[in-house]
């Protein structure tokens, strides 16, 4: 599940471990996760993985965490799993955290304008603009490349 958040949404581990159950919402058949505003949709088949994870979260059977609202509860009461523990697990699975995040944000910024991606993923807008420019995104000129519209709907002189 953590790997999905890195690979799909370019989230840093320090932000991932702070997520709570309230950050996951079901609206009909659509599952969303609040990383910024608005919440981002979780596409299938990943929505099934998230739903399965929610039903089987680890570290809830101890006396310290039975009612934890953290998405990734740690072993200590009220504390999330430590980012270093996650980083080591990902490394052992062959998932390079930083490289994966960098690639994910670049791909997202090639698909949508930087301000939209930045708001939805809780990224700094200026940093997102810079990454988009480095990635060769053309969204920066998207709105200005359209012909100017006049108040008239006819082409009369």
């Amino acid at each position: 599940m953590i790997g999905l958040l890195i690979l799909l949404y370019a989230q840093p581990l320090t932000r991932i471990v702070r997520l709570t159950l309230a950050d996951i919402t079901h609206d009909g058949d659509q599952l969303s996760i609040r990383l910024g505003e608005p919440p981002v949709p979780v596409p299938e088949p990943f929505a099934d993985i998230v739903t399965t994870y929610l039903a089987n979260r680890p570290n809830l059977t101890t006396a310290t965490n039975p009612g934890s609202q953290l998405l990734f509860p740690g072993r200590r009461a009220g504390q999330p799993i430590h980012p270093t523990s996650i980083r080591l697990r990902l490394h052992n699975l062959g998932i390079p955290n930083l490289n994966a995040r960098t690639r994910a944000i670049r791909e997202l910024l090639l698909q949508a304008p930087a301000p939209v991606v930045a708001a939805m993923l809780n990224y700094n807008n200026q940093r997102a603009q810079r990454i988009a420019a480095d990635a060769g995104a053309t969204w920066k000129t998207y709105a200005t490349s359209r012909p100017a519209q006049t108040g008239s709907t006819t082409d009369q002189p």
Side-chain angles (χ1 to χ4, degrees):
M1 166 88 175
I2 291 172
L4 290 175
L5 293 170
I6 293 169
L7 296 172
L8 289 178
Y9 304 111
Q11 293 300 294
L13 292 176
T14 54
R15 190 175 303 151
I16 290 171
V17 298
R18 291 191 313 257
L19 292 171
T20 66
L21 295 176
D23 292 318
I24 306 289
T25 56
H26 292 270
D27 186 17
D29 290 337
Q30 181 61 55
L31 183 72
S32 299
I33 186 166
R34 183 179 311 280
L35 303 169
E37 287 298 330
V40 294
V42 179
E44 292 293 342
F46 307 113
D48 288 337
I49 293 169
V50 173
T51 303
T52 300
Y53 174 81
L54 290 173
N56 301 297
R57 288 183 303 140
N59 295 331
L60 294 179
T61 57
T62 63
T64 57
N65 281 330
S68 177
Q69 294 300 301
L70 292 166
L71 194 55
F72 303 102
R75 292 186 177 155
R76 291 182 169 176
Q79 298 295 313
I81 191 168
H82 198 276
T84 302
S85 298
I86 297 169
R87 192 173 293 110
L88 290 172
R89 286 184 196 175
L90 292 172
H91 177 74
N92 290 336
L93 292 171
I95 301 172
N97 175 43
L98 186 57
N99 292 342
R101 278 189 27 234
T102 301
R103 179 66 181 184
I105 191 69
R106 288 174 65 93
E107 288 298 320
L108 290 168
L109 290 168
L110 288 172
Q111 296 176 29
V116 173
V117 173
M120 289 179 74
L121 300 181
N122 199 21
Y123 264 73
N124 177 287
N125 186 36
Q126 291 173 341
R127 179 163 160 66
Q129 295 276 4
R130 194 169 46 250
I131 294 169
D134 290 345
T138 58
W139 291 103
K140 187 173 185 177
T141 59
Y142 175 72
T144 58
S145 67
R146 295 175 53 198
Q149 293 183 0
T150 62
S152 172
T153 59
T154 62
D155 290 318
Q156 298 176 356

